[in-house]
Amino acid sequence: MADSQYVLEMDKVCKSFPGVKALDDVTFSVKRGDCHCLVGQNGAGKSTLIKILAGAYPLDLGVVRLDGRKVTFRSPDQALRMGISVLYQELALNPYFNAVENIFIGRELSNRWGIIDYERMKREAADLIDPFGVHVNLNVPIRELSVAQQQIVALAKALSFDSKVVVFDEPSAVLTTEELERLFAIIMRLKQSGVTVIYISHRLEEIFRIGDMVTVLRDGRVVGTTPVAEVTQPDLVRMMVGRDVGMEFPARKGCPSETYLEVANVRAPGLHSEASLVVRKGEILGIFGLVGSGRTELAHAIAGMSRVEYGEIRLKGERLSIQSPADGIRKGVALLPENRKDEGLVLGMSVAENTTMPIWRRIQKVGLLDRRELRCVADTYVNKLGVKTAGLDYPVRNLSGGNQQKVVLAKWLAANSQVLILDEPTRGVDIGAKMEIYRLVVDAAEQGLGIVLISSELGEVLGLADRVLVMRAGCIVGEFDPREVDQETILARAMGVA
Amino acid sequence: MTQFEKNESVVTLRPGRRTGIGQLMLEYNLYIILAVLLTISSIVSREFFTANNLTNLLLRCSFNGIIISGMTFVILTGGTDLSVGSVFAFAGVFLATLQRGYFFRFMPELTTAFEQAGELNPILPLPAAVALTVVVGGLVGLVNGLLVTKAKMPPFAATLGTMVAVRGLAFTYAGGFPIPGFTEGVKWLGTGQLGVVPVPVAIWLVVLVVVWVILKFTVFGREVYAVGGGETAAHFSGIRADRVKIAVYVISGMLAALAGVVMAGRMNAAEPREGAGYELDAIAAVAIGGTLMSGGKGSVLGTAAGAIVLGLIANILNLTNVPPYPQQIAKGLIILGAVLMQRFVSTR
Ligand SMILES: Nc1ncnc2c1ncn2[C@@H]1O[C@H](COP(=O)(O)OP(=O)(O)OP(=O)(O)O)[C@@H](O)[C@H]1O
Ligand SMILES: [Mg+2]
């Protein structure tokens, strides 16, 4: 029995949360040595399925079999000991520990005197991280690293267990092309050594790159499982969404007019030279760069999250001094942050409250929160973006990752600013919703906002932006017209080889 | 239970309201604990359900009740305020000196003459004197708030410092001894009756309603929850987290001072020793009341119920003649039990 061709089988698994049936009669089998992909819209139940496999959630009904034997995991460490390791969608690292401590937490290596052998741990951690080709400072607390660097630490950790099944829940959402290629190489190596991989992503091209089998989930049910070779991308989309979705970027009509935001010779923490840029009214300015290239730092300096050391920021010709995010929002410069869990959302608060947080002060009447107005605004944007939630009063903690991201976006669209900086706005969002978000971003620009779009997805930047800035190592290293440039040129500039 | 509603691109989930005993238990578990305690009390003691005893019970709860109404704000932001007991004592002493026409009693030998004569010489009309005292309480809170936000001290350490310092200030101010005797107005605050309701209880109720309204309906109230639930996200969303945090310590200090004034009136004396350990009672009540100590979740009504639970425990132990030291053991165990029951019920 132990030699069955399936490593993992889920049989008629059901799982409900209050008000939501997350998994409904799901049957899912994974062949040994395969890279099995799992796709579906936001809230389809992918992460829930993974968490059940990993013992993080108990199941309501059904059976899970590992190597043909029925297993019931009561906690993730049980699953880990049986050889299933998981990279969770929401980063699960200790923010105060450094990378080495995070990777070896609970199983520290010791020398023969029983003393923790920190040097050895550090060497092994470096061995795990090196293949990604990204410099990660091993000595600082995790929270001081960028999201992408954190993700690489989490990946290294998931790989460090030598498990027979490794699950990746949206590993690519925060990675740029470069790191992603390296991740693919690592996955190929894993497969060659007989490890089974389960891979979740909203970027379907990735599925075609590395997947052997693909299972589509919709509203908690399995729509189908097929070999990747036998489907096309539109097929998958149709299975996920239940209808055809246009995949073109929305067309731009208006053309950018007068200058809105001017950033002149600004120095700030994380930037290694003076940065200057302009954003015009109705323009989408794309910023592309690899992990750690200073995109986020630049955005933070403009929107008041960090202090501008010197240089000038002008809005419509008027000199602005933005001391804090509150200041920025009041003066019309808002930032959608990249890290939704810490910076984007107050997880315990409701969808309605999160959506309206930046405008609470605006929709008050003598200090009292206007709840009708609040719900009305929230309702509008929740519908516009198609946030799948059990209600406006539902805590955002209970939403799926992609739906949380939609709430973050809803919040910043509702904030009604003049310049909107979007740092990875479509991170973890499904294709249907992505198209919807592109349309909203373009709409916003047509209505006269100045938009700065920071993204690791080059296709997205090229498809939406009127101009593209490329950043590398804390400096702006080039400006391109997306209509006249190809991906290779931009990538080469971002990596410093051209 | 769930119905799907198609709207072009997405599926929106509309859950049916969860009903039934489970949900009721979840939402009202604290009040259930309270009901259980009330029932036990009425069984073990015949005197319990007398109007006299119940009024007395509320009266005893009201001082802690006023203090924790302020403390609730602080704990909701994820902080804590250990200085409330000291501010409580200092407020009484400060008001006493105002009533006697001087601000400071560093040199007792100069002023004992006044007191022996029992002379009261209010330099301010009562409302102004009380207001000034409350403002002074707020100033201590301001110091706490600045230490926590600007000096980035952990709330526990910052308020531990002010707790010790303000206690010392109360003793210094009073010259080391209780100051007896207040004007009729102050005494009324502590001992008066509004119909059948003792004035301290009435004050508590007013504070409770105001705090409830602030937390539930004002922008500031929601900001308090947002800061406690996720400070960075709140900050990035344009909430001035530092100001919110300073404000909560100010409120906590003001209400602790108000409670101190009422207590001074009740005792007809300002006792610098008063209120030691109140910060712990307050924290216990907040914990029993189901407010998350890490912030972001909880309600002032829960805290009020927590204060009553604490009062009830003391009351019933007194009525059943449990001697003081074993009383403490029982009190500690019952606090643990209540908090445990809270956790148990609400994680189901
Ligand atoms: N802890 C929870 N409590 C309540 N509801 C939950 C919880 N976790 C998930 N859900 C709900 O279950 C459904 C499935 O969520 P899940 O996280 O599995 O989606 P997903 O397919 O991973 O989506 P995404 O692509 O956005 O990550 C969603 O409707 C979500 O709101
Ligand atoms: Mg997910």
Side-chain angles (χ1 to χ4, degrees):
Chain A
M1 201 52 191
D3 290 321
S4 106
Q5 69 171 141
Y6 294 114
V7 192
L8 260 181
E9 291 163 281
M10 286 182 110
D11 202 11
K12 298 210 169 61
V13 168
C14 296
K15 173 77 190 172
S16 294
F17 294 108
V20 183
K21 188 141 198 186
L23 291 180
D24 188 4
D25 227 14
V26 167
T27 299
F28 174 69
S29 315
V30 184
K31 273 202 208 114
R32 196 182 314 280
D34 263 6
C35 174
H36 197 125
C37 299
L38 202 52
V39 297
Q41 283 178 286
N42 294 134
K46 305 178 294 293
S47 300
T48 307
L49 188 153
I50 295 310
K51 285 180 186 158
I52 286 175
L53 276 184
Y57 287 162
L59 42 69
D60 296 347
L61 274 179
V63 187
V64 175
R65 277 189 289 268
L66 182 66
D67 284 325
R69 264 197 315 269
K70 178 170 186 269
V71 285
T72 324
F73 299 132
R74 282 195 194 79
S75 70
D77 70 286
Q78 266 183 352
L80 207 53
R81 263 182 278 132
M82 300 285 279
I84 303 179
S85 75
V86 179
L87 169 86
Y88 290 100
Q89 181 177 14
E90 305 299 339
L91 290 169
L93 299 171
N94 183 326
Y96 301 103
F97 284 12
N98 67 24
V100 180
E101 289 158 344
N102 262 295
I103 292 174
F104 292 101
I105 196 166
R107 52 193 180 110
E108 284 80 1
L109 306 173
S110 52
N111 61 17
R112 67 199 144 108
W113 311 109
I115 310 273
I116 291 181
D117 188 346
Y118 195 78
E119 285 311 310
R120 198 168 114 224
M121 284 176 13
K122 203 164 162 183
R123 272 196 309 277
E124 295 202 6
D127 287 345
L128 288 162
I129 289 172
D130 276 345
F132 290 97
V134 170
H135 173 75
V136 175
N137 187 343
L138 296 180
N139 299 318
V140 302
I142 280 288
R143 62 186 181 139
E144 289 173 22
L145 300 177
S146 76
V147 187
Q149 289 170 325
Q150 294 183 17
Q151 179 77 336
I152 282 163
V153 175
L155 278 167
K157 180 172 182 172
L159 293 172
S160 67
F161 292 97
D162 295 320
S163 306
K164 55 185 168 196
V165 181
V166 185
V167 184
F168 298 102
D169 193 350
E170 294 193 36
S172 57
V174 296
L175 300 183
T176 40
T177 339
E178 186 58 17
E179 296 100 43
L180 202 54
E181 286 304 323
R182 295 180 193 252
L183 175 63
F184 289 167
I186 290 168
I187 289 178
M188 288 302 170
R189 263 216 315 282
L190 285 178
K191 274 172 60 182
Q192 274 158 17
S193 53
V195 175
T196 310
V197 174
I198 299 178
Y199 191 91
I200 298 179
S201 178
H202 289 295
R203 302 189 194 167
L204 299 181
E205 11 4 306
E206 297 172 1
I207 311 284
F208 291 91
R209 279 287 306 280
I210 56 160
D212 298 303
M213 296 290 287
V214 56
T215 294
V216 182
L217 280 178
R218 183 162 85 222
D219 294 331
R221 291 197 195 88
V222 174
V223 184
T225 301
T226 60
V228 170
E230 289 169 22
V231 285
T232 61
Q233 198 157 328
D235 288 342
L236 278 186
V237 175
R238 206 170 311 118
M239 284 167 84
M240 283 165 58
V241 187
R243 60 184 171 79
D244 284 309
V245 174
M247 301 294 291
E248 286 84 51
F249 285 99
R252 299 291 314 274
K253 287 186 293 285
C255 64
S257 49
E258 80 262 31
T259 300
Y260 243 31
L261 183 76
E262 276 178 279
V263 175
N265 309 324
V266 161
R267 270 304 277 268
L271 296 179
H272 295 138
S273 70
E274 294 176 2
S276 301
L277 57 84
V278 283
V279 186
R280 283 186 273 272
K281 182 173 157 75
E283 183 181 47
I284 302 177
L285 173 71
I287 299 184
F288 180 78
L290 301 184
V291 170
S293 59
R295 308 167 299 180
T296 298
E297 286 76 6
L298 176 60
H300 280 193
I302 299 174
M305 276 76 179
S306 64
R307 202 162 282 285
V308 172
E309 283 154 9
Y310 63 81
E312 237 179 59
I313 295 175
R314 287 186 289 268
L315 185 64
K316 292 181 185 162
E318 231 174 273
R319 202 188 155 152
L320 275 192
S321 139
I322 297 176
Q323 301 295 335
S324 66
D327 225 20
I329 291 166
R330 207 157 34 81
K331 290 170 180 163
V333 181
L335 167 79
L336 176 152
E338 64 169 342
N339 182 344
R340 69 166 162 264
K341 203 169 139 198
D342 296 330
E343 301 167 350
L345 297 168
V346 178
L347 289 172
M349 294 189 104
S350 71
V351 172
E353 288 182 315
N354 269 288
T355 310
T356 50
M357 204 171 280
I359 54 169
W360 282 354
R361 289 267 161 208
R362 229 175 283 164
I363 56 175
Q364 66 179 354
K365 285 182 185 143
V366 287
L368 297 183
L369 199 57
D370 185 347
R371 281 185 184 262
R372 182 129 29 95
E373 177 72 16
L374 180 148
R375 293 184 65 88
C376 178
V377 172
D379 197 50
T380 312
Y381 284 92
V382 160
N383 277 328
K384 248 189 184 172
L385 289 160
V387 180
K388 184 175 167 188
T389 167
L392 288 178
D393 298 321
Y394 212 51
V396 285
R397 173 174 286 123
N398 293 352
L399 301 191
S400 78
N403 281 302
Q404 291 182 0
Q405 184 65 30
K406 290 184 200 171
V407 174
V408 181
L409 193 78
K411 161 161 126 180
W412 293 109
L413 288 175
N416 243 331
S417 60
Q418 293 170 310
V419 173
L420 182 56
I421 307 172
L422 304 167
D423 196 356
E424 302 283 4
T426 60
R427 179 176 160 198
V429 167
D430 68 49
I431 308 194
K434 226 178 223 178
M435 289 299 149
E436 194 61 23
I437 289 173
Y438 294 159
R439 217 175 41 80
L440 288 167
V441 170
V442 169
D443 273 359
E446 310 269 275
Q447 279 161 25
L449 260 75
I451 291 182
V452 179
L453 174 71
I454 300 174
S455 174
S456 300
E457 266 186 77
L458 190 45
E460 180 171 295
V461 176
L462 290 178
L464 289 176
D466 299 304
R467 267 183 313 131
V468 180
L469 295 181
V470 176
M471 290 192 71
R472 184 180 72 236
C475 308
I476 296 177
V477 292
E479 179 175 333
F480 297 94
D481 182 338
R483 279 158 301 227
E484 291 164 6
V485 72
D486 54 9
Q487 301 214 354
E488 286 68 38
T489 320
I490 292 197
L491 264 177
R493 182 62 64 90
M495 285 155 54
V497 292
Chain B
M1 203 136 102
T2 308
Q3 78 194 62
F4 289 86
E5 186 195 69
K6 287 261 179 256
N7 89 352
E8 15 175 89
S9 72
V10 281
V11 183
T12 315
L13 287 169
R14 290 274 163 78
R17 266 239 166 278
R18 270 241 298 190
T19 47
I21 303 286
Q23 189 63 27
L24 270 177
M25 292 279 289
L26 259 179
E27 261 170 52
Y28 299 108
N29 56 55
L30 179 62
Y31 306 100
I32 294 171
I33 295 174
L34 198 56
V36 169
L37 274 178
L38 280 172
T39 318
I40 297 176
S41 310
S42 58
I43 293 170
V44 297
S45 166
R46 232 167 263 276
E47 295 151 69
F48 181 76
F49 260 117
T50 55
N52 204 346
N53 183 51
L54 287 182
T55 325
N56 234 320
L57 171 65
L58 283 180
L59 187 61
R60 283 163 149 276
C61 294
S62 58
F63 305 102
N64 192 9
I66 296 170
I67 294 176
I68 63 171
S69 301
M71 182 84 109
T72 306
F73 282 97
V74 177
I75 292 185
L76 278 175
T77 63
T80 185
D81 186 353
L82 296 180
S83 70
V84 286
S86 302
V87 173
F88 178 84
F90 179 65
V93 176
F94 184 75
L95 186 67
T97 53
L98 283 185
Q99 295 260 301
R100 290 195 158 64
Y102 55 87
F103 276 107
F104 220 123
R105 192 172 77 157
F106 255 142
M107 287 165 283
E109 60 282 4
L110 282 184
T111 47
T112 33
F114 272 122
E115 269 140 43
Q116 275 160 1
E119 193 165 332
L120 290 171
N121 175 24
I123 48 171
L124 283 174
L126 181 65
V130 170
L132 186 60
T133 312
V134 168
V135 167
V136 167
L139 284 178
V140 177
L142 182 66
V143 172
N144 284 331
L146 290 172
L147 288 175
V148 170
T149 55
K150 303 299 175 206
K152 307 238 182 296
M153 286 173 73
F156 196 92
T159 58
L160 183 66
T162 46
M163 165 178 133
V164 175
V166 173
R167 175 69 64 187
L169 193 61
F171 275 111
T172 317
Y173 226 88
F177 300 100
I179 307 173
F182 276 102
T183 55
E184 289 309 310
V186 181
K187 278 194 257 175
W188 181 80
L189 284 177
T191 56
Q193 294 274 129
L194 286 168
V196 292
V197 185
V199 174
V201 176
I203 295 177
W204 179 28
L205 286 178
V206 171
V207 168
L208 205 59
V209 170
V210 171
V211 170
W212 181 73
V213 168
I214 291 178
L215 281 176
K216 205 161 168 76
F217 298 106
T218 66
V219 174
F220 171 71
R222 298 323 293 172
E223 288 178 343
V224 168
Y225 282 92
V227 168
E231 197 179 331
T232 315
H235 176 61
F236 275 32
S237 301
I239 290 172
R240 295 177 188 271
D242 279 2
R243 288 194 197 172
V244 171
K245 279 165 78 177
I246 292 173
V248 296
Y249 286 98
V250 170
I251 294 174
S252 177
M254 285 169 61
L255 287 180
L258 178 64
V261 167
V262 179
M263 179 57 103
R266 174 135 204 97
M267 316 273 287
N268 194 20
E271 158 68 273
R273 225 170 292 276
E274 193 68 52
Y278 272 34
E279 60 286 339
L280 298 183
D281 275 352
I283 293 172
V286 172
I288 296 173
T291 296
L292 223 53
M293 298 301 286
S294 55
K297 193 165 165 278
S299 84
V300 72
L301 295 185
T303 334
I308 295 180
V309 167
L310 272 185
L312 253 178
I313 295 170
N315 182 244
I316 196 64
L317 292 173
N318 275 333
L319 286 178
T320 47
N321 297 322
V322 178
Y325 295 133
Q327 241 189 49
Q328 273 197 10
I329 303 177
K331 186 172 155 192
L333 292 179
I334 295 173
I335 292 175
L336 287 179
V339 175
L340 209 64
M341 204 157 142
Q342 273 276 353
R343 286 281 162 272
F344 176 72
V345 181
S346 57
T347 50
R348 297 279 296 175

